[in-house]
């Protein structure tokens, strides 16, 4: 696949902010070659890709993306592509839902697919969307797979599950416990674990309600984690910010002397 097309595909499926797309590189290419071939390839690997049909980004995002593609094509004086206008017509009518899919493409192929809310804050929580800290921790995990191989992993504040699912798909842990506190987050997290085929597979996974401020030693002993991961929790202020350190430092560290903790 053309590297430029691959970059567009990665940004499209993860619903990256449109200004982050390589528009200037696309415009330069179209000005050199006015055929519609590159636009057609981008369309095939985004809106017409089977992954988009099954787990589509939001209607609004697709509408804005296609509109920008058309703008680039027209600005470069490139040959018009009927399929591009057909794709835009498909998303002009439907109203946007309050949920959509984000697909984070994995380096070995496949994707981590997450059902998320479109609003940053909904149902009284920020946990129904994926935040950058989780993506950074997932990238770190891919570069340090040996940390998780054959080990029991506990993820604190799993949110929509991008980090934990990445670890399960790519790092070969023996088991992984996703945890969060908010009931709405837990419900969607369980959905995402199922969507990614982890419900009845290896490694053994579970989704648990865990309140950092009141986790008991019995709860933590039952989990028996070798590795604890957390993304973004260090930014939590007030009692909850203290609670995560109580949970990790006083609870789990008191059980396992050789525990490994990774927090972003």
């Amino acid at each position: 696949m053309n590297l430029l097309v691959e970059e567009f595909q990665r940004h499209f499926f993860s619903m990256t902010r449109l200004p982050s797309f390589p528009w200037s590189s696309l415009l330069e290419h179209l000005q050199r070659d006015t055929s519609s071939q590159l636009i057609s390839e981008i369309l095939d690997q985004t809106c017409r890709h089977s992954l988009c049909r099954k787990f589509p980004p939001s209607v609004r995002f697709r509408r804005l993306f296609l509109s920008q593609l058309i703008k680039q094509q027209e600005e470069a004086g490139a040959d018009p592509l009927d399929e591009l206008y057909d794709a835009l017509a498909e998303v002009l009518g439907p109203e946007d839902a309050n949920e959509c899919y984000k697909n984070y493409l994995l380096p070995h192929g496949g994707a981590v697919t997450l059902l998320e809310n479109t609003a940053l804050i909904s149902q009284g929580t920020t946990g129904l969307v994926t935040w950058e800290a989780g993506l950074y921790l997932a990238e770190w995990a891919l570069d340090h797979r040996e940390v998780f191989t054959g080990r029991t992993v506990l993820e604190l504040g799993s949110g929509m599950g991008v980090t934990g699912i990445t670890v399960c798909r790519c790092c070969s842990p023996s088991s992984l416990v996703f945890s969060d506190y908010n009931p709405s987050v837990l419900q969607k997290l369980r959905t995402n674990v199922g969507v990614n085929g982890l419900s009845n597979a290896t490694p053994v996974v579970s989704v648990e309600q865990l309140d950092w401020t009141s986790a008991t030693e019995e709860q933590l002993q039952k989990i028996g984690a070798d590795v604890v991961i957390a993304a973004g929790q260090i930014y939590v202020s007030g009692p909850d910010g203290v609670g995560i350190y109580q949970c990790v430092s006083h609870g789990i560290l008191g059980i396992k002397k050789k525990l490994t903790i990774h927090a972003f």
Side-chain angles (χ1 to χ4, degrees):
M1 188 190 305
N2 181 298
L3 290 178
L4 184 58
V5 175
E6 187 176 334
E7 190 172 357
F8 266 91
Q9 184 187 56
R10 179 169 52 83
H11 284 316
F12 174 81
F13 280 113
S14 61
M15 286 181 59
T16 304
R17 293 176 63 251
L18 283 179
S20 299
F21 281 66
W23 299 112
S24 58
S25 298
L26 175 62
L27 183 59
E28 290 175 8
H29 180 99
L30 293 176
Q31 289 171 337
R32 293 193 307 268
D33 178 1
T34 58
S35 75
S36 59
Q37 181 179 349
L38 181 60
I39 293 289
S40 181
E41 289 178 17
I42 291 174
L43 193 59
D44 285 342
Q45 297 302 326
T46 54
C47 293
R48 296 199 299 192
H49 194 279
S50 59
L51 187 60
C52 182
R53 298 296 184 188
K54 189 173 183 180
F55 300 116
S58 73
V59 170
R60 180 176 181 273
F61 179 82
R62 284 178 283 155
R63 185 186 304 135
L64 292 173
F65 170 74
L66 289 165
S67 297
Q68 186 63 27
L69 266 185
I70 291 172
K71 180 181 178 181
Q72 294 283 303
Q73 184 186 51
E74 292 176 345
E75 185 175 342
D79 297 338
L81 181 67
D82 290 343
E83 290 86 347
L84 186 56
Y85 294 91
D86 292 341
L88 179 61
E90 289 181 12
V91 293
L92 286 178
E95 293 185 8
D96 218 351
N98 60 5
E99 294 179 327
C100 66
Y101 287 98
K102 292 184 180 180
N103 299 278
Y104 300 96
L105 304 182
L106 295 170
H108 67 275
V112 172
T113 297
L114 304 178
L115 179 64
E116 303 188 6
N117 279 32
T118 53
L120 293 179
I121 302 174
S122 54
Q123 300 180 47
T125 180
T126 59
L128 293 168
V129 296
T130 294
W131 293 89
E132 284 193 11
L135 297 174
Y136 288 136
L137 183 52
E139 289 179 4
W140 184 90
L142 290 171
D143 290 334
H144 299 83
R145 303 182 192 206
E146 71 282 355
V147 170
F148 306 97
T149 302
R151 306 184 79 179
T152 297
V153 181
L154 166 64
E155 182 179 22
L156 300 174
S158 298
M160 296 295 89
V162 65
T163 303
I165 293 170
T166 300
V167 169
C168 287
R169 296 278 298 275
C170 301
C171 303
S172 304
S174 61
S175 61
L176 191 141
V177 178
F178 297 86
S179 74
D180 214 293
Y181 176 69
N182 185 284
S184 298
V185 173
L186 288 167
Q187 181 179 2
K188 195 154 288 184
L189 177 58
R190 291 188 178 98
T191 297
N192 287 334
V193 167
V195 165
N196 287 275
L198 299 178
S199 298
N200 298 297
T202 302
V204 177
V205 302
S206 62
V207 178
E208 307 290 344
Q209 186 172 43
L210 183 64
D211 183 351
W212 306 329
T213 63
S214 60
T216 66
E217 185 171 333
E218 183 180 355
Q219 281 180 294
L220 300 172
Q221 279 184 324
K222 184 179 179 181
I223 294 171
D226 303 307
V227 178
V228 176
I229 55 176
Q233 275 53 302
I234 58 174
Y235 299 111
V236 178
S237 61
D240 286 347
V242 175
I244 185 172
Y245 291 110
Q246 290 175 339
C247 175
V248 173
S249 301
H250 297 203
I252 306 175
L253 282 179
I255 299 167
K256 292 226 173 187
K257 294 182 180 179
K258 295 183 179 180
L259 179 73
T260 304
I261 302 172
H262 298 284
F264 275 60

